[in-house]
Amino acid sequence: MENIWMAQLEGLGSYSIEVLGTSKTDATSRLRREYNNNWKASKGGGKSFNEIMEYNGGFVQELTLGKVYMDGFRE
């Protein structure tokens, strides 16, 4: 089966941001770029990407295409 990676950051006001990528590095860097460019000042309280990921419980997870997941792709 084919795998993809999902990076998610919740708790940005009433928003969350998610991105899919082809590797853990790809997904993380895309989420980091989005947060730094569009969310850090307005919804992130100026926290760095690493700080906000830890503070808000953000995560990066490998997903298998075709597999059934429940509760927001958590296992």
Side-chain angles (χ1 to χ4, degrees), residues 1-6 20 61-69 73 75:
M1 292 193 151
E2 189 176 349
N3 293 332
I4 59 172
W5 288 82
M6 178 177 72
L20 299 175
Q61 170 180 339
E62 187 175 26
L63 300 173
T64 301
L65 296 177
K67 180 178 177 180
V68 176
Y69 293 88
F73 292 100
E75 292 187 41

Side-chain angles (χ1 to χ4, degrees), residues 38-56:
N38 299 307
W39 299 84
K40 184 176 182 176
S42 64
K43 301 290 184 188
K47 289 181 174 66
S48 72
F49 178 74
N50 291 339
E51 289 172 322
I52 200 74
M53 285 291 281
E54 183 176 332
Y55 184 78
N56 288 20

